[in-house]
Amino acid sequence: MRLFTYLLLFLLPFSLSYSQDVTIPIETENTVMVLKTDHNNRLKIIYFGKSLSNIDEYKQTGDVFNFQDEGASSNNSAYAVAGIDNNFIEPAIAVIHTDGNNSLDLLYESHTATQTDDGATLTTITLKDPVYPFFVDLLYKTWNENDVIEQWTVIRHTEKGKVVLNKYASANLYLNNTDYYLTSYNGSWAKEMQPEETHLRQGMHTIESRLGTRANLLTSPNFMLSLDGKATETSGTIMMGQIAWNGNFSLQFETDMYKNLHVVAGINPYQSAYHLDPNTPFETPRFIYTLSFEGKGKGSRNLHDWLRDHILLDGHGDRLTLLNNWEATYFDFDQDKLVSLFGGAKELGVDMFLLDDGWFANKYPRNGDTAGLGDWEVNRKKLPDGVPFLVREAEKEGVKFGIWIEPEMVNPKSELYEKHPDWVIKEEKRPEIYFRNQLVLDLANPEVQEFVFEVVDDLFTENPTLAFIKWDCNAPIFNGHSKYLEREKIPQSHLYVAYSKGLQNVLERIRTKYPTVPMMLCSGGGGRSDYNLLKYFTEFWLSDNTDPLERVFMQWNYSYYYPAIAMCNHVTDWSKDKSLKYRIDVASMGKLGFDIRANELSEQDMRFAQQTIVNYDDFKEIIWHGEMYRLANPYEKDLASLMYVNEQKTEGVMFNYLTNWRYLAETSLRPILLQGLDKNKTYRLTEINLYDGAYTPINDQKVYSGEFLMNVGFNPSVNSSRSSVIIKIESIE
Ligand code: GLA
């Protein structure tokens, strides 16, 4: 015993000076993640939850959890490594050093916290391997008011040669809650954003994409994690977020034997070992999350505000209402037909006409989706006077002109493919595999990046007043092999990352030269909507499925992560069994567009459509820039109800949609509780978008206090003869 005490006394000063006992709180207004070094100088996550007013207490937050057990003490690493024997949990990073050794240990070195120019706090923590000159910087950019954290890593080394990164996640979290319900989303063409709830209990649950380009066709990078039981719209603790990457992503949720949840998020390591040169920092994509203690509604509003304030291009600006010709004509149009449609756009009263697919290619004309993609000169037979003529004619009618492109892709039947077969991603030794008859161009190749940039640049050079671009992307990467990487002797396992970064380079160049022009992110429907690409876009296309009933559900699901200003909703003829009113009312809950043959509308329908656009122009500020509240969930009730309120709480709009046409549907037995109003203000509620003078039971002479509307509620009287009801809410002095 004496000997033991002696040894302890001898060792103590050494271990004290070795271990720095550092506590680093990553704080937002309401949340904190506390990181702390252990006695070996390894950085641990000791707490993730509500922030405390006395920051001195953070260092002891971990003491009340069971981190002492041998296994538990390694599971809460701030960035779990592979290859040392004290880590038994899924690694965030796995490497092979230049000498072939595949172990990694990361000890705390230093940290800094600075204010960024855009108003966030950036905490940078440097970890270093004690044996190898290998470093990982953990970065946390915190947005105080939004309660949003952007987390990522920068990986670097000064070894002599290339270090192979077999896994290189953006973030690693550790949650000590009691019960975890994960909502993730699967999908396919016309079935995007279908929610699935999983009660996480034991082992690993992975959400990932391997599609390369249109990363969220089959799975979405968005997730919602209810902690300590199921959260509701207005109560409970919930983490909501996204891995913001336009390429293959992976979100891993691992529940350990202590019932703690380990989350690893980043680029999917699938076929993507990265050979990193010395002194060449590798920056991983951002893992974005918010923690709300007031349910899903608050979580969504945090993300909406953050996206509009800091990511989405022109998040506080205007958007253009439009008439698109895709479903109205498909590939079957010519100059005269298009010009005749411009009149329809004007008559409807929208801001812009959007010309979709089919306007280009001559040797292999783009008259269907089997040929011409890649050949971006105007089809002279269909459009003899070119795009400038169309722009002029549209402008004569007082509408702006926008155009569709899909510049990352090629049909094998195209001049581009004939001229540059080596620009195409494919395994030469294997049969080509097509998706919508097309292949993906190799954006790892700078020449291809230049080509894609020029597609856009040429359009603007020829048409300086071009008002809008719809940027599509239909095919995933099959048989991923790059001739360019082969020539440059770069490993093929760089392809997925190089593609994603190549696309970003192009978009960066486009935005440097054309910083403001609105662009819609589209991907064979809604295959792309990541926060990373939304830096370059003003809006995105949710799905080719424009059936309004399906859209109510889809828009509901997207609304958890995206503000209305970012979401393009078009009125189409997809489902004519629903009234024009229902279709327009559903599309009005976002960025409104039309994709119909306006000239075929009856006089009455045209009058109604015109009125709805006037109404939309009147309330769009509120839904684009205000706060959103989900009031009635169509998955739980026979209707959906949502509302938007402006910042001053003086104006709002409430959207109500019937989702069950059965006689037994219960839609108007009870009022709906409004949210987000000022309880001391008095409001008048007026029904708008009434079809041709239809009767409304809503008496706009009655007034209600905000308190009444939020505690007793309001009944919009939704039923099968009033299947959609839009209410304008105005405070009166
Ligand atoms: C994709 C888009 C559609 C339309 C077509 C054109 O499917 O999602 O909106 O633009 O391409 O080919």
Side-chain angles (χ1 to χ4, degrees), residues 168 210 248 268-274 480 492-497:
Y168 37 96
R210 298 196 177 102
N248 296 341
N268 193 339
Y270 167 74
Q271 293 281 68
S272 292
Y274 203 87
Q492 289 297 325
S493 59
H494 283 214
L495 177 59
Y496 286 123
V497 170

Side-chain angles (χ1 to χ4, degrees), residues 189 324 326 331 356-358 366 369 404 406 436 470 472-474 520 522-526 541 543-544 595:
W189 180 78
N324 184 199
W326 175 238
F331 295 96
D356 215 285
D357 195 357
R366 182 75 173 168
D369 63 12
W404 176 98
E406 191 180 2
R436 207 188 183 207
K470 175 176 174 184
D472 208 343
C473 156
N474 276 278
M520 180 207 283
C522 170
S523 179
W541 184 231
S543 174
D544 281 347
D595 196 341

Side-chain angles (χ1 to χ4, degrees), residues 500-568:
S500 305
K501 292 200 167 173
L503 174 62
Q504 279 180 67
N505 285 346
V506 174
L507 290 166
E508 203 67 59
R509 278 184 70 192
I510 291 173
R511 280 316 184 185
T512 307
K513 193 154 178 192
Y514 307 103
T516 54
V517 64
M519 295 211 297
M520 180 207 283
L521 178 60
C522 170
S523 179
R528 272 179 176 171
S529 55
D530 58 89
Y531 295 155
N532 192 36
L533 287 188
L534 285 177
K535 285 189 296 221
Y536 309 104
F537 291 84
T538 46
E539 52 217 88
F540 72 96
W541 184 231
L542 281 59
S543 174
D544 281 347
N545 186 340
T546 47
D547 175 311
L549 181 57
E550 296 298 341
R551 276 283 178 144
V552 170
F553 289 86
M554 241 181 231
Q555 291 170 198
W556 177 272
N557 292 322
Y558 275 112
S559 82
Y560 286 111
Y561 309 93
Y562 307 93
I565 193 171
M567 300 201 274
C568 299

Side-chain angles (χ1 to χ4, degrees), residues 88-243:
F88 305 113
I89 204 143
E90 178 68 20
I93 183 164
V95 310
I96 305 177
H97 297 281
T98 42
D99 63 2
N101 183 295
N102 67 354
S103 69
L104 184 66
D105 195 3
L106 291 173
L107 304 186
Y108 168 83
E109 274 270 301
S110 61
H111 76 281
T112 58
T114 52
Q115 286 303 116
T116 61
D117 293 343
D118 48 1
T121 305
L122 180 66
T123 307
T124 307
I125 306 170
T126 299
L127 309 178
K128 182 188 174 301
D129 191 298
V131 177
Y132 290 91
F134 188 94
F135 305 82
V136 175
D137 296 324
L138 306 180
L139 292 107
Y140 303 83
K141 189 170 184 181
T142 48
W143 299 97
N144 201 37
E145 274 175 37
N146 304 140
D147 280 327
V148 168
I149 301 180
E150 300 180 26
Q151 187 177 340
W152 73 104
T153 51
V154 173
I155 302 168
R156 59 200 163 89
H157 69 89
T158 55
E159 296 185 29
K160 291 189 174 53
K162 292 176 196 292
V163 173
V164 180
L165 310 181
N166 281 321
K167 188 170 184 188
Y168 37 96
S170 299
N172 170 159
L173 306 182
Y174 196 64
L175 314 180
N176 319 90
N177 301 76
T178 48
D179 214 3
Y180 310 94
Y181 286 89
L182 173 72
T183 305
S184 57
Y185 304 85
N186 58 45
S188 59
W189 180 78
K191 289 186 187 153
E192 292 84 347
M193 281 302 269
Q194 302 303 312
E196 286 293 346
E197 189 179 74
T198 312
H199 190 187
L200 300 175
R201 299 188 74 90
Q202 192 203 355
M204 181 66 86
H205 189 94
T206 305
I207 309 292
E208 61 184 329
S209 162
R210 298 196 177 102
L211 293 149
T213 50
R214 42 184 316 189
N216 49 329
L217 171 66
L218 304 176
T219 42
S220 155
N222 298 299
F223 72 96
M224 226 180 329
L225 197 56
S226 266
L227 310 170
D228 303 323
K230 294 189 188 184
T232 69
E233 271 304 308
T234 50
S235 68
T237 305
I238 189 147
M239 179 180 168
M240 297 168 69
Q242 182 192 91
I243 173 72

Side-chain angles (χ1 to χ4, degrees), residues 52-72:
L52 303 176
S53 31
N54 178 3
I55 57 166
D56 288 341
E57 286 196 302
Y58 282 142
K59 59 178 175 301
Q60 60 197 29
T61 46
D63 300 349
V64 291
F65 295 97
N66 173 23
F67 293 134
Q68 316 321 323
D69 186 281
E70 279 203 22

Side-chain angles (χ1 to χ4, degrees), residues 313-591:
L313 196 84
D314 206 14
H316 291 282
D318 277 337
R319 297 295 184 271
L320 301 167
T321 52
L322 60 87
L323 176 68
N324 184 199
N325 72 312
W326 175 238
E327 289 193 30
T329 65
Y330 292 105
F331 295 96
D332 180 22
F333 59 81
D334 59 19
Q335 189 161 293
D336 293 341
K337 197 166 183 178
L338 290 181
V339 172
S340 77
L341 295 175
F342 298 162
K346 183 187 180 181
E347 203 183 345
L348 274 171
V350 293
D351 302 317
M352 184 187 64
F353 180 85
L354 170 61
L355 172 58
D356 215 285
D357 195 357
W359 58 269
F360 50 89
N362 288 294
K363 182 169 174 191
Y364 304 106
R366 182 75 173 168
N367 291 330
D369 63 12
T370 54
L373 201 58
D375 301 343
W376 295 103
E377 59 300 320
V378 75
N379 180 289
R380 286 183 293 273
K381 204 160 156 217
K382 285 184 186 170
L383 307 173
D385 297 317
V387 177
F389 171 79
L390 296 175
V391 178
R392 267 198 317 274
E393 287 302 303
E395 287 174 353
K396 267 193 216 158
E397 293 282 8
V399 286
K400 296 180 184 216
F401 186 87
I403 205 161
W404 176 98
I405 52 172
E406 191 180 2
E408 299 162 70
M409 307 277 149
V410 64
N411 282 130
K413 217 165 152 194
S414 67
E415 288 184 84
L416 183 71
Y417 187 93
E418 286 172 353
K419 269 193 232 144
H420 297 288
D422 62 328
W423 281 11
V424 176
I425 293 178
K426 58 173 182 166
E427 277 281 3
E428 282 168 332
K429 297 183 185 133
R430 302 181 191 282
E432 290 181 2
I433 306 177
Y434 308 122
F435 190 100
R436 207 188 183 207
N437 313 300
Q438 63 196 57
L439 289 158
V440 180
L441 292 176
D442 181 9
L443 272 170
N445 183 343
E447 272 175 17
V448 177
Q449 291 177 26
E450 181 61 33
F451 168 81
V452 174
F453 172 77
E454 278 170 13
V455 172
V456 178
D457 198 31
D458 290 351
L459 274 169
F460 282 118
T461 308
E462 198 185 28
N463 307 285
T465 58
L466 191 66
F468 188 88
I469 298 257
K470 175 176 174 184
W471 181 300
D472 208 343
C473 156
N474 276 278
I477 294 177
F478 290 120
N479 280 348
H481 185 94
S482 156
K483 218 47 200 166
Y484 167 77
L485 294 179
E486 186 186 306
R487 265 200 316 267
E488 297 294 313
K489 302 201 174 4
I490 298 170
Q492 289 297 325
S493 59
H494 283 214
L495 177 59
Y496 286 123
V497 170
Y499 185 93
S500 305
K501 292 200 167 173
L503 174 62
Q504 279 180 67
N505 285 346
V506 174
L507 290 166
E508 203 67 59
R509 278 184 70 192
I510 291 173
R511 280 316 184 185
T512 307
K513 193 154 178 192
Y514 307 103
T516 54
V517 64
M519 295 211 297
M520 180 207 283
L521 178 60
C522 170
S523 179
R528 272 179 176 171
S529 55
D530 58 89
Y531 295 155
N532 192 36
L533 287 188
L534 285 177
K535 285 189 296 221
Y536 309 104
F537 291 84
T538 46
E539 52 217 88
F540 72 96
W541 184 231
L542 281 59
S543 174
D544 281 347
N545 186 340
T546 47
D547 175 311
L549 181 57
E550 296 298 341
R551 276 283 178 144
V552 170
F553 289 86
M554 241 181 231
Q555 291 170 198
W556 177 272
N557 292 322
Y558 275 112
S559 82
Y560 286 111
Y561 309 93
Y562 307 93
I565 193 171
M567 300 201 274
C568 299
N569 302 331
H570 293 180
V571 177
T572 73
D573 288 337
W574 179 305
S575 178
K576 272 197 145 169
D577 62 313
K578 300 284 175 300
S579 68
L580 182 66
K581 170 171 165 58
Y582 190 84
R583 286 182 278 147
I584 296 182
D585 285 357
V586 171
S588 296
M589 191 200 113
K591 214 222 74 175

